[in-house]
């Protein structure tokens, strides 16, 4: 089930919220757990078992770490617990990749090795395994208490607003909220507002420009114009698709009284790749920093080791997105720029030239990220360099609609002006310090949000099913 579907918007969410608020406070974790399992099981009931077993495994070893009489015993529980969690990720996400790569080395394919099956990738496995891993490490570090409340912990792992595409949460940040959280009309309305904005981002911007990106990447030898339009369209699509999902997750969280971490902070105004990773997919960046980069030594072991650590973290971060050489190369690309910026001091650049350079680096990286194969990415790069000619073939040009181009320009404008739009919304469209309501801060936000929500729903009704891009990770 996806947020931008009629089933979720008009059946699941209203029904769940009604049951949730009718449930006594002390049983609400159970309600969240049942609702989250129904949400996940809507996709495939069999993979619900994997989610439950991962939860049970993590809970048991978390308790083992917490109850251990010595650090050595706690470390043993930690290693076994992490091995189990990472095995889930390794088998279901990477086994196909390793078999295919091994077969390629021998000049054949998986069938040539006698392997005639492929494992299905469970939706959201990368997200809930990372949350399980962070919990075990936090308990071992004594940053979190091994919870005795199984239903609270299971509800945290399965929490449906963020289960399949983040933000990646940490139990230590939400444990207090499971024990006590505020529910109010004001928070609920804030949640619906953020949810409506996220839905509009997804349906009105991301989905509308998606055909341009698909056309560029599916056309053999795309022209220069088509390659650049397609690459920019994907840059816009990915941002509004993923940030739209994150907004919707944060909005539903507020409706339930939870405060999730902000996952995006206007990333396309970054002046360096270092700054970009402080603004893009923040929950993943923080996770990689705290549970990978710092344990590897961070920047405490000299310049050369710091560069190696940056490269290694970004390659693993790329692989986290998917088992494909394109993600490895995308991670290497960003790791190399992070290392270069640290070596040259360019991470602190603030000029417009730095803005343009950063956007170009990110754009080129997204081409590799989007492509189904390295060969497909090289085809688009060739087109961007003009090696396939400038003019687009008439039969391909006919597939480019005026609507897609207009929404692409709108998406670029919104991404560029987002800081000013956010500032205006925070300063002019909210009640003042005394809480005084005016036509500007009361009526305008209501009209804008309701209008965006209604327009998004109408658009949703006319288009085909379109899952969020990060579901595949």
């Amino acid at each position: 089930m996806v947020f931008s579907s009629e089933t979720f918007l008009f059946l699941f969410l209203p029904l769940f919220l009604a049951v949730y608020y009718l449930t006594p406070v002390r049983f609400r974790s159970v309600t969240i757990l049942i609702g989250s399992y129904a949400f996940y099981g809507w996709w495939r009931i069999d993979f619900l078992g994997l989610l439950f077993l991962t939860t049970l495994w993590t809970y048991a070893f978390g308790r083992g770490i917490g109850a251990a009489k010595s650090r050595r015993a706690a470390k043993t529980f930690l290693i076994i617990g992490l091995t189990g969690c990472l095995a889930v990720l390794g088998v279901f996400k990477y086994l196909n990749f390793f078999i295919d790569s091994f077969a390629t080395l021998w000049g054949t394919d998986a069938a040539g090795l006698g392997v005639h099956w492929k494992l299905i990738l469970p939706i959201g496995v990368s997200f809930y395994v990372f949350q399980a891993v962070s919990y075990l490490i936090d308990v071992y570090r004594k940053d979190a208490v091994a919870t005795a409340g199984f239903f609270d912990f299971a509800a945290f792992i399965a929490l449906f607003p963020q289960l399949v595409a983040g933000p990646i949460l940490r139990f230590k940040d939400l444990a207090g909220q499971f024990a006590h959280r505020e529910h109010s009309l004001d928070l609920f309305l804030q949640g619906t507002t953020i949810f409506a904005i996220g839905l509009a981002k997804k349906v009105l911007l991301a989905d509308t420009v998606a055909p341009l990106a698909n056309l560029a990447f599916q056309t053999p030898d795309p022209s220069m114009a088509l390659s650049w339009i397609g690459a920019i369209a994907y840059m816009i699509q990915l941002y509004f698709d993923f940030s739209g999902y994150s907004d919707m997750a944060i909005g539903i969280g507020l409706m339930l009284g939870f405060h999730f971490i902000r996952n995006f902070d206007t990333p396309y105004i970054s002046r360096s790749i270092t700054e970009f990773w402080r603004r893009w997919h923040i929950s993943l960046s923080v996770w990689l920093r705290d549970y990978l980069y710092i344990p590897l030594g961070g920047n405490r072991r000299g310049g050369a080791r710091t560069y190696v650590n940056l490269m290694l973290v970004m390659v693993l971060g790329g692989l986290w997105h998917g088992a494909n050489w394109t993600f490895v190369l995308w991670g290497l690309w960003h790791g190399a720029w992070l290392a270069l910026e640290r070596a040259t001091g360019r991470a602190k650049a603030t000029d417009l030239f730095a803005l343009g350079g950063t956007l170009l680096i990110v754009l080129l990286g997204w081409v590799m990220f989007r492509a189904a194969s390295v060969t497909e990415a090289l085809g688009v790069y060739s087109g961007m360099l003009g090696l396939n000619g400038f003019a687009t073939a008439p039969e391909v040009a006919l597939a480019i609609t005026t609507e897609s181009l207009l929404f692409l320009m709108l998406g670029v404008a919104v991404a560029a002006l987002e800081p000013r739009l956010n500032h205006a919304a925070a300063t002019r469209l909210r009640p003042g310090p005394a809480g005084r309501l005016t036509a500007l801060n009361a009526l305008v936000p209501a009209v804008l949000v309701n209008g965006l929500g209604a327009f998004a729903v109408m658009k949703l009704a006319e288009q085909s099913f379109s899952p969020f891009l990060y579901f595949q990770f």
Side-chain angles (χ1 to χ4, degrees):
M1 196 185 311
V2 298
F3 292 168
S4 56
S5 68
E6 290 89 346
T7 305
F8 180 82
L9 292 172
F10 302 116
L11 178 62
F12 180 85
L13 186 57
L15 185 61
F16 173 80
L17 289 173
V19 173
Y20 176 79
Y21 276 100
L22 288 173
T23 303
V25 172
R26 62 196 176 107
F27 295 125
R28 284 183 176 172
S29 288
V30 178
T31 302
I32 291 173
L33 181 61
I34 294 172
S36 298
Y37 278 1
F39 174 86
Y40 194 79
W42 195 273
W43 168 62
R44 282 185 65 119
I45 195 75
D46 48 352
F47 282 106
L48 198 54
L50 182 66
L51 173 62
F52 177 75
L53 290 175
T54 303
T55 302
L56 190 62
W57 174 276
T58 308
Y59 173 79
F61 280 91
R63 295 286 291 166
I65 295 168
K69 301 298 183 185
S70 67
R71 291 300 285 171
R72 185 175 180 179
K75 192 171 186 177
T76 302
F77 277 113
L78 173 68
I79 291 172
I80 297 173
L82 290 180
T83 302
C85 291
L86 295 176
V88 170
L89 203 56
V91 169
F92 285 94
K93 188 157 187 172
Y94 301 109
L95 185 59
N96 294 333
F97 174 67
F98 288 134
I99 291 174
D100 290 340
S101 298
F102 185 71
T104 301
L105 284 176
W106 290 92
T108 182
D109 55 17
L113 295 177
V115 180
H116 300 285
W117 47 263
K118 277 190 179 295
L119 287 173
I120 296 173
L121 176 65
I123 288 179
V125 66
S126 301
F127 292 91
Y128 70 71
V129 166
F130 263 34
Q131 293 188 169
V133 166
S134 67
Y135 170 72
L136 292 174
I137 295 175
D138 285 342
V139 172
Y140 177 74
R141 290 174 174 171
K142 299 189 184 301
D143 289 337
V145 176
T147 181
F150 176 76
F151 288 110
D152 282 354
F153 181 72
F156 158 73
I157 292 290
L159 194 56
F160 79 86
Q162 53 79 56
L163 173 61
V164 295
I168 301 172
L169 304 177
R170 296 190 280 192
F171 187 71
K172 66 179 181 179
D173 297 328
L174 287 189
Q177 296 182 45
F178 272 102
H180 174 73
R181 56 186 178 276
E182 177 188 356
H183 299 86
S184 68
L185 180 60
D186 183 50
L187 269 182
F188 193 91
L189 291 177
Q190 284 183 43
T192 56
T193 298
I194 295 173
F195 182 88
I197 291 171
L199 180 65
K201 283 182 177 179
K202 161 67 177 169
V203 177
L204 301 181
L205 292 175
D207 288 354
T208 310
V209 304
L212 292 173
N214 295 339
L215 186 65
F217 282 86
Q218 291 168 2
T219 300
D221 303 322
S223 68
M224 188 175 187
L226 181 61
S227 298
W228 279 98
I229 290 174
I232 294 171
Y234 182 67
M235 189 179 196
I236 295 299
Q237 179 199 0
L238 182 63
Y239 173 52
F240 286 112
D241 186 286
F242 193 21
S243 70
Y245 182 91
S246 294
D247 287 346
M248 295 165 84
I250 291 169
I252 298 172
L254 285 173
M255 294 180 207
L256 304 179
F258 289 104
H259 295 266
F260 296 163
I261 182 176
R262 186 181 184 184
N263 215 19
F264 290 88
D265 183 14
T266 58
Y268 289 155
I269 65 165
S270 302
R271 261 65 173 177
S272 67
I273 296 300
T274 305
E275 183 184 356
F276 174 78
W277 280 104
R278 292 195 198 106
R279 294 175 176 274
W280 178 274
H281 203 170
I282 296 169
S283 63
L284 176 64
S285 300
V286 170
W287 197 100
L288 292 173
R289 180 198 65 195
D290 290 350
Y291 301 105
L292 197 55
Y293 179 67
I294 291 176
L296 284 171
N299 57 1
R300 305 187 303 275
R301 299 183 180 179
R305 179 59 183 270
T306 299
Y307 306 145
V308 170
N309 289 343
L310 287 170
M311 296 283 286
L312 186 58
V313 167
M314 292 311 299
V315 168
L316 291 174
L319 267 176
W320 175 85
H321 286 83
N324 194 320
W325 289 108
T326 55
F327 294 116
V328 174
L329 293 174
W330 175 77
L332 273 172
W333 173 255
H334 276 269
W337 281 105
L338 286 174
L340 185 64
E341 286 181 352
R342 180 174 284 271
T344 60
R346 288 294 297 169
K348 298 178 181 177
T350 58
D351 53 87
L352 286 177
F353 178 77
L355 171 63
T358 301
L359 287 175
L360 180 60
I361 293 168
V362 171
L363 178 70
L364 294 175
W366 286 146
V367 171
M368 185 61 71
F369 189 89
R370 165 62 174 79
S373 66
V374 176
T375 302
E376 185 177 285
L378 293 177
V380 176
Y381 288 138
S382 298
M384 295 172 80
L385 290 171
L387 300 180
N388 301 328
F390 180 82
T392 301
E395 65 273 17
V396 177
L398 285 173
I400 301 175
T401 65
T402 303
E403 180 192 36
S404 295
L405 291 174
L406 287 175
F407 274 90
L408 176 58
M409 289 188 281
L410 178 62
V412 170
V414 172
L417 298 175
E418 204 173 7
R420 294 188 179 186
L421 295 173
N422 290 341
H423 179 72
T427 57
R428 299 186 180 184
L429 300 182
R430 288 183 182 174
R436 189 167 64 89
L437 294 176
T438 66
L440 183 63
N441 65 33
L443 292 179
V444 173
V447 170
L448 282 177
V449 170
N450 283 294
L452 274 178
F455 193 23
V457 170
M458 286 190 290
K459 183 73 178 172
L460 188 64
E462 73 171 30
Q463 69 184 30
S464 57
F465 174 72
S466 174
F468 289 88
L469 293 176
Y470 259 68
F471 277 24
Q472 61 187 300
F473 306 138

